[in-house]
Amino acid sequence: MVASSSSTRPLPSLFALSALILQPVLAENWNPRIHVNRRDYVAPRTTERIPRPLKARADTVKPGQPTHTVSDSLILGFEVIGDSGVSGQQLFLGDDTKVYIIDKVENNPLTINDHPAWASEYDLTTNTARPLEVVTNTFCAGGALLGTGEWLNIGGNQAVDALGVTSPSQNGSNLYQNSDGAFAARTLTPGEGAEWYDDPAQDLTTRRWYPSLETIETGRIFILGGNQYGGFVNNAANSNPTFEFWPKADGEVPVESTILKNTLPANLYPITHLIPTGQVLLNINLNAAILDYHTNTEYPLPAVPHAVRTYPASAANVMLPMTVANNWTATVMYCGGSDLQSDQWTSGMALINVAASDSCISITPETSNQWVDEDPLPEGRVMGNAILLPDGTVFVGNGANTGVAGYGNDTWVLQESYANNPIYAPLIYDPSKPSGQRWNRDGLKSSEVARMYHSTATLLPDGSVFITGSNPHPDYSPNAVFPTEYRVERFYPWYYNKRRPEPSGIPTSLTYGGQYFDLELSSDDLFGNIGNINVVKVVIIKTGFSTHAINFGQRMAELDHTFTTNAAGGATLHVSQAPPNAAIMQPGPACKSFLFPVKMQYLFHIRVLRCCQWCTFCWC
């Protein structure tokens, strides 16, 4: 069921709400020796961790092989598999068979209830799209996964008519039958017959367009920044320099953010990552900080080197895998972007000719407050998507070599696009390799689809990568140089056609700490070589919410394990539950779990798991 929007949504100014905004606490610079919150766990690997085998559990599953088969000629390459119905400005993997896609309001050929659709459900088994009703404008909204299992889509822009022009009617009585979306909090629970629910009673109290969302330890959503009424970049009169939480608790009001006030104009879609200390790493324009939202305290970090990483520079960014070996410590990497100063964004310069940065940097805030230069990209890239693969590497695709994110009618644009020279060739980053050898595109094949502004990507349950979108235009533009794009592609990593092990005993849910579980591997699962048990790893992956070169909430954590072998050439893995710290892997469903030997040519997908904890907003 979809609730209709209120016919009269309030349009307050942030200044009118200033009395209801909490002020932040000013703090000294971030020092991990002083400001890192004590972790609530110790790495549990001990010699006593091989107990007696457990009895078979009723709530377990046994995986099979991927149902989507391809020829070996497609491995390390792309395949166009279908049509998304609406252009993929935003998307997320909802369950084993469904990807949910969100566009802005525009004249898409796919219709629903006698108006163009701007959301769809893509079925991975049939490669077909079903239109979904959304009543508010989702243009440049943000999204995240709640601990309840629902997906949240926050904010957007005013109601529009043709060519993205603001409509005189903001209550749905207009050409595309859309309402103002800036206050909207839309939810969807994946599954058969899923629909978006847009209840004005759940609305935000302030307008947010280009906000960032991050799931926190309780399963609630942290919402940061954005502006009120749109625009290419931000400005003081239009900005919403605050953060808040959803669902809102009694008495909560937005909290002012110092870093957002000081990073105009390139501070839309701030890059956020919840780190295992329970604090949030912020990368905004050329500034960075650690936010302790529990105390409303921001701790500044050194200036971001080499380039702006936030929109419209739109660098690829990813939290690298948290493993047993690194004690589940978070390192966040940013690659590409634009080397522009704050005054250059609105100077009138031809931004389409600005060379994208090839620099990559990382930071590990639990252990250091310093930026680290990583191996540079082989070419500069803006609007790239970084996708964690289950073998611990990172796929980077999409984007352009010159220009920035966005579109407009400036004299220097290419048919409205602010970027040019699309990059068709993907890359693989391997953090386990020595410095200087981490980027690789050996054998990788190029896509034939330009993925420019408003492109998206996500990992799929079978380990392939789902890619769609590209639409640097205010409305449906099928004949442009970079057209409104509906083609859906899959990228197939090296392991895709390899036989997958089929262990028994895979649980359908995980807990934070608690009793381990057993996975039974046959001799066939180990390819007749018991020595392969020594290179097995078990990981869980959250695939995140993809939009504007960010996959909000994407992360990977390894599960510790030991093993015993048997006379038949098989083995039993004794696998620990998730580390007892919800800031490592937040509660909620859609955790993807894989087991794979990194030195062998195979992998298998376990299936959707639910990570749960005892708290108000969790569901098991």
Side-chain angles (χ1 to χ4, degrees), residues 1 5 7 10 31 35 43 78 181 189 207 216 284 300 384 390 439 448 502 537 568 579:
M1 174 180 179
S5 259
S7 60
N31 183 337
H35 302 128
F78 297 81
T189 301
R207 301 179 64 85
I216 58 174
I284 309 174
W439 288 110
E448 295 182 356
E502 299 182 356
K537 291 184 183 291

Side-chain angles (χ1 to χ4, degrees), residues 57 59-63 93-97 145-151 190 460-461 503-512 517-519 537-544 555 557-559 575-579 585-595 604-613 619-620:
R57 296 168 44 141
D59 55 339
T60 62
V61 295
K62 184 176 177 63
L93 174 65
D95 59 25
D96 281 352
T97 62
L145 175 63
L146 287 154
T148 59
E150 295 176 295
W151 284 87
L460 292 182
S504 59
I506 300 168
T508 57
S509 64
L510 297 176
T511 60
Y512 292 109
F517 58 92
D518 281 352
L519 297 180
K537 291 184 183 291
V538 182
V539 302
I540 47 179
I541 301 175
K542 280 182 178 277
T543 53
R555 59 183 54 211
E558 183 183 356
L559 300 183
V575 185
S576 296
Q577 298 284 347
M585 187 64 69
Q586 306 98 313
C591 301
K592 302 301 169 204
S593 183
F594 299 81
L595 177 144
F604 76 82
H605 168 239
I606 289 183
R607 65 170 297 177
V608 176
L609 297 179
R610 293 191 174 95
C611 303
C612 308
Q613 75 173 141
W619 170 77
C620 300

Side-chain angles (χ1 to χ4, degrees), residues 68-79:
H68 182 75
T69 58
V70 300
S71 69
D72 287 344
S73 64
L74 287 172
I75 300 304
L76 300 181
F78 297 81
E79 179 188 25

Side-chain angles (χ1 to χ4, degrees), residues 235-256:
N235 61 66
N238 197 23
S239 184
N240 186 343
T242 67
F243 67 85
E244 60 185 301
F245 301 90
W246 199 96
K248 184 176 73 172
D250 290 343
E252 282 186 342
V253 297
V255 181
E256 189 174 83

Side-chain angles (χ1 to χ4, degrees), residues 375-376 428-441:
D375 293 358
I428 298 293
Y429 179 85
D430 188 342
S432 71
K433 297 287 187 182
S435 178
Q437 302 176 31
R438 292 174 181 162
W439 288 110
N440 183 13
R441 57 167 42 124

Side-chain angles (χ1 to χ4, degrees), residues 201-222:
Q202 300 297 319
D203 277 1
L204 302 174
T205 58
T206 61
R207 301 179 64 85
R208 293 195 187 271
W209 188 79
Y210 277 87
S212 293
L213 278 66
E214 189 80 11
T215 309
I216 58 174
E217 305 98 306
T218 61
R220 297 172 74 204
I221 305 299
F222 165 81

Side-chain angles (χ1 to χ4, degrees), residues 421-484:
N421 299 306
I423 300 176
Y424 298 94
L427 289 163
I428 298 293
Y429 179 85
D430 188 342
S432 71
K433 297 287 187 182
S435 178
Q437 302 176 31
R438 292 174 181 162
W439 288 110
N440 183 13
R441 57 167 42 124
D442 291 348
L444 298 182
K445 301 159 190 173
S446 294
S447 170
E448 295 182 356
V449 182
R451 299 293 184 184
M452 305 294 278
Y453 185 46
H454 289 160
S455 298
T456 44
T458 187
L459 184 70
L460 292 182
D462 60 12
S464 63
V465 179
F466 183 99
I467 301 166
T468 194
S470 185
N471 188 24
H473 308 286
D475 208 332
Y476 174 58
S477 300
N479 300 315
V481 174
F482 305 128
T484 303

